Amino acid sequence: ELKVEQNPLFLSMQEGKNYTIYCNYSTTSDRLYWYRQDPGKSLESLFVLLSNGAVKQEGRLMASLDTKARLSTLHITAAVHDLSATYFCAVVPRNFGNEKLTFGTGTRLTIIP
Amino acid sequence: EAGVVQSPRYKIIEKKQPVAFWCNPISGHNTLYWYRQNLGQGPELLIRYENEEAVDDSQLPKDRFSAERLKGVDSTLKIQPAELGDSAVYLCASSLIGVWDTEAFFGQGTRLTVV
């Protein structure tokens, strides 16, 4: 069974600082997604990573994928308060026909002014 | 383009009562998911449809939960009877399988409270 783990689970950081959220998964996959969820809201898609070495950036967020290490990172540069949210990674296993999207535990990020 | 639409947004029921949720996916999306999200946790898959066929319902508690996807478009998820532990947010998502860079888009969810 696919397991997806994120760390840290909780992250409190000051504005202007940099930090990285890690996502490890237990089975072969070439497709990994990052989502953002604000309190009481649904999930908003941030990044789709589809190959080893894939890197995508949007504003102060940058995501990367290392399929050999089964690891994805979400890097936050010069954090601002608006980035406070819970971030989830989600993985689709490399089994043809299996489109089950499995989510990680989530990282609750709080940016302190 | 309209996103995934769910209703109701909120539902409060007494235990042992039935409840139903409705989902209208993005037009043209052939895959529909129902997820349950408990407070402070990530979403967990309940059932996945490809067109009108349920291709993964291994996580669906079949003694009390049922789902259907009429004509491969809208879907309903039903709980009967509801238990206190069913309190959660029920999320519907849709995607287009067959496209490599497909991604799942989520609705606003239905927050269920069982009292």
Side-chain angles (χ1 to χ4, degrees):
Chain A
E1 180 183 340
L2 171 60
K3 294 192 183 300
V4 183
E5 296 182 344
Q6 291 180 234
N7 71 82
L9 297 182
F10 300 93
L11 177 57
S12 182
M13 54 190 293
Q14 288 186 319
E15 279 190 329
K17 299 293 187 181
N18 304 331
Y19 209 82
T20 300
I21 299 171
Y22 298 89
C23 172
N24 290 90
Y25 52 95
S26 63
T27 194
T28 306
S29 172
D30 301 308
R31 292 162 60 190
L32 188 140
Y33 304 82
W34 283 96
Y35 286 87
R36 167 182 172 147
Q37 187 175 40
D38 292 294
K41 304 291 186 180
S42 190
L43 289 93
E44 173 191 356
S45 178
L46 294 176
F47 299 109
V48 179
L49 302 170
L50 299 174
S51 62
N52 187 39
V55 177
K56 291 198 174 179
Q57 183 166 3
E58 181 73 33
R60 301 175 186 274
L61 299 178
M62 183 174 70
S64 65
L65 177 62
D66 181 343
T67 58
K68 293 180 181 178
R70 298 180 183 175
L71 170 69
S72 179
T73 61
L74 180 66
H75 187 73
I76 303 147
T77 302
V80 294
H81 181 69
D82 288 351
L83 291 179
S84 295
T86 298
Y87 293 85
F88 292 96
C89 62
V91 176
V92 176
R94 191 195 292 173
N95 294 328
F96 178 76
N98 182 355
E99 295 295 325
K100 180 176 180 177
L101 188 62
T102 300
F103 282 81
T105 48
T107 296
R108 183 175 297 179
L109 174 64
T110 304
I111 308 297
I112 302 169
Chain B
E1 178 182 336
V4 178
V5 179
Q6 291 186 247
S7 68
R9 290 291 309 278
Y10 305 92
K11 191 74 176 179
I12 302 174
I13 61 170
E14 294 184 343
K15 62 182 180 181
K16 299 184 182 180
Q17 294 301 306
V19 65
F21 315 125
W22 176 80
C23 173
N24 179 241
I26 292 174
S27 178
H29 279 193
N30 51 12
T31 298
L32 184 146
Y33 310 78
W34 281 104
Y35 282 86
R36 176 169 59 189
Q37 186 176 23
N38 293 310
L39 188 63
Q41 299 182 21
E44 295 179 326
L45 182 70
L46 291 174
I47 189 168
R48 178 170 66 87
Y49 283 92
E50 287 186 14
N51 299 305
E52 64 274 11
E53 181 183 0
V55 295
D56 185 352
D57 63 356
S58 58
Q59 308 273 59
L60 189 73
K62 297 181 182 65
D63 57 336
R64 297 183 301 107
F65 286 65
S66 64
E68 61 180 3
R69 189 178 184 197
L70 302 174
K71 299 181 180 178
V73 182
D74 293 359
S75 179
T76 56
L77 178 68
K78 299 178 181 177
I79 309 174
Q80 182 171 10
E83 298 178 352
L84 294 177
D86 296 331
S87 294
V89 175
Y90 291 82
L91 294 164
C92 178
S94 70
S95 67
L96 183 60
I97 298 301
V99 177
W100 175 243
D101 60 349
T102 189
E103 57 185 297
F105 294 89
F106 283 80
Q108 292 295 305
T110 296
R111 183 178 298 274
L112 173 67
T113 303
V114 182
V115 297

